[in-house]
């Protein structure tokens, strides 16, 4: 997939995964008020902005490996001044001590176990990781959910996710499902952009549009059977 075709589709989309500002507020409501927050895999920065608005005294460091997303997130958050930084970096090599590592829809890039192990020394005492990860709501998963699963091989049930968190030496402070509108908030703008770009797309762009369209179709078929589980966890 060429970067140019990918960003023709993804440029200036509000988010790169399911979620809403309300999810950020909920996660903040279950922990002590953080002073230093890292947004790991911040994408275009929707959650960085929400964190900065919700925590007017906190320092926030947003990190993404893709310069294009970093530029978008910077533009979105520059009004907060130097307490909010957005940089190109690897979320596997974070520096703390952080009171909260927020990671929406990105933990699977590292793998949950690797992420939780790498972030343990980055957390301040009493610090927490809030992450969202795709899960099945039906066990065993139905056909549509299994097709969606092919996109995310690490996906399992909510119980399996909780078992992985415990096995990684963390305790879940709270968790909840991200369903319905939060997924639409990601997929509907993407679907509208695909429809707009389809006429006149060259072969490279058409391939990118086909891939995204097929992911949206898989999600629409499986939407009752899949969710993101938003988990706030802390080292045991
Ligand atoms: C599914 S997107 C979610 C983006 C954003 N959190 C949101 O909800 O809109 C995952 C993001 O993680 C970033 N990412 C993946 N691996 C990374 C790594 N090792 N270090 C930093 N960012 C990474 C990708 O570039 C992408 O922007």
């Amino acid at each position: 997939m060429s970067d140019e075709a990918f960003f023709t589709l993804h440029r200036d989309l509000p988010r790169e995964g399911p979620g809403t500002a309300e999810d950020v507020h909920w996660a903040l409501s279950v922990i002590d008020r953080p002073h230093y927050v890292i947004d790991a895999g911040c994408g275009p920065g929707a959650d960085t902005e929400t964190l900065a608005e919700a925590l007017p005294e906190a320092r926030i460091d947003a990190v993404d490996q893709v310069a294009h997303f970093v530029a978008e997130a910077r533009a979105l958050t520059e009004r907060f001044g130097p307490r909010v930084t957005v940089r190109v970096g690897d979320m596997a090599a974070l520096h703390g001590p952080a009171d909260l590592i927020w990671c929406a829809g990105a933990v699977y890039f590292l793998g949950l176990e690797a992420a939780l192990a790498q972030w343990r020394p980055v957390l301040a005492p009493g610090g927490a990781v809030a992450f969202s990860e795709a899960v099945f709501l039906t066990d065993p998963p139905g056909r549509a959910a299994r097709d969606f699963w092919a996109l995310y091989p690490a996906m399992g049930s909510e119980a399996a996710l909780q078992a992985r968190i415990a096995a990684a030496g963390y305790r879940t402070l709270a968790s909840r499902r991200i369903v319905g509108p939060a997924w639409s908030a990601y997929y509907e703008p993407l679907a509208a952009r695909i429809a707009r770009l389809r006429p006149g797309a060259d072969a490279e762009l058409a391939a990118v549009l086909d891939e995204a369209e097929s992911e949206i179709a898989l999600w629409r078929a499986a939407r009752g059977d899949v969710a993101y589980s938003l988990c706030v966890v802390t080292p045991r």
Side-chain angles (χ1 to χ4, degrees):
M1 180 189 300
S2 87
D3 280 1
E4 199 188 319
F6 178 84
F7 282 111
T8 300
L9 175 59
H10 286 264
R11 180 170 294 121
D12 296 328
L13 287 175
R15 325 191 37 96
E16 281 297 308
T20 63
E22 216 275 313
D23 294 314
V24 175
H25 292 296
W26 172 82
L28 292 177
S29 76
V30 303
I31 57 172
D32 291 340
R33 204 167 178 77
H35 302 289
Y36 176 42
V37 179
I38 301 174
D39 185 353
C42 64
D47 294 338
T48 317
E49 182 184 38
T50 303
L51 287 161
E53 280 168 347
L55 301 167
E57 268 126 49
R59 194 157 66 82
I60 294 161
D61 183 28
V63 180
D64 203 284
Q65 66 183 0
V66 175
H68 193 100
F69 288 140
V70 166
E72 290 184 7
R74 251 184 215 150
L76 192 64
T77 57
E78 65 189 356
R79 72 180 188 278
F80 297 105
R83 75 180 180 89
V84 178
T85 52
V86 187
R87 62 186 173 86
V88 175
D90 182 1
M91 64 182 177
L94 301 176
H95 300 287
D99 302 304
L100 173 65
I101 299 174
W102 170 263
C103 186
V107 89
Y108 74 91
F109 282 96
L110 298 184
L112 179 63
E113 287 75 8
L116 291 181
Q118 278 153 5
W119 294 343
R120 180 186 288 269
V122 179
L123 289 173
V129 178
F131 70 92
S132 55
E133 178 84 326
V135 290
F136 299 125
L137 299 179
T138 44
D139 198 7
R143 169 73 200 275
R146 282 203 310 274
D147 290 345
F148 190 80
W149 182 22
L151 301 173
Y152 299 100
M155 200 168 156
S157 67
E158 289 170 298
L161 179 61
Q162 290 305 319
R164 291 172 67 195
I165 292 166
Y170 279 70
R171 163 170 82 83
T172 299
L173 299 173
S175 68
R176 74 169 186 175
R177 292 176 180 175
I178 298 179
V179 288
W183 288 66
S184 306
Y186 171 51
Y187 281 132
E188 299 308 344
L190 194 61
R193 176 76 57 88
I194 292 168
R196 189 166 63 70
L197 292 173
R198 180 67 76 184
D202 64 16
E204 257 183 18
L205 180 57
V208 168
L209 301 184
D210 289 348
E211 192 177 319
E213 203 160 52
S214 116
E215 178 176 335
I216 295 170
L218 288 172
W219 166 68
R220 284 192 172 128
R223 63 198 299 171
D225 287 354
V226 298
Y228 262 36
S229 181
L230 175 57
C231 301
V232 184
V233 304
T234 191
R236 266 192 273 120

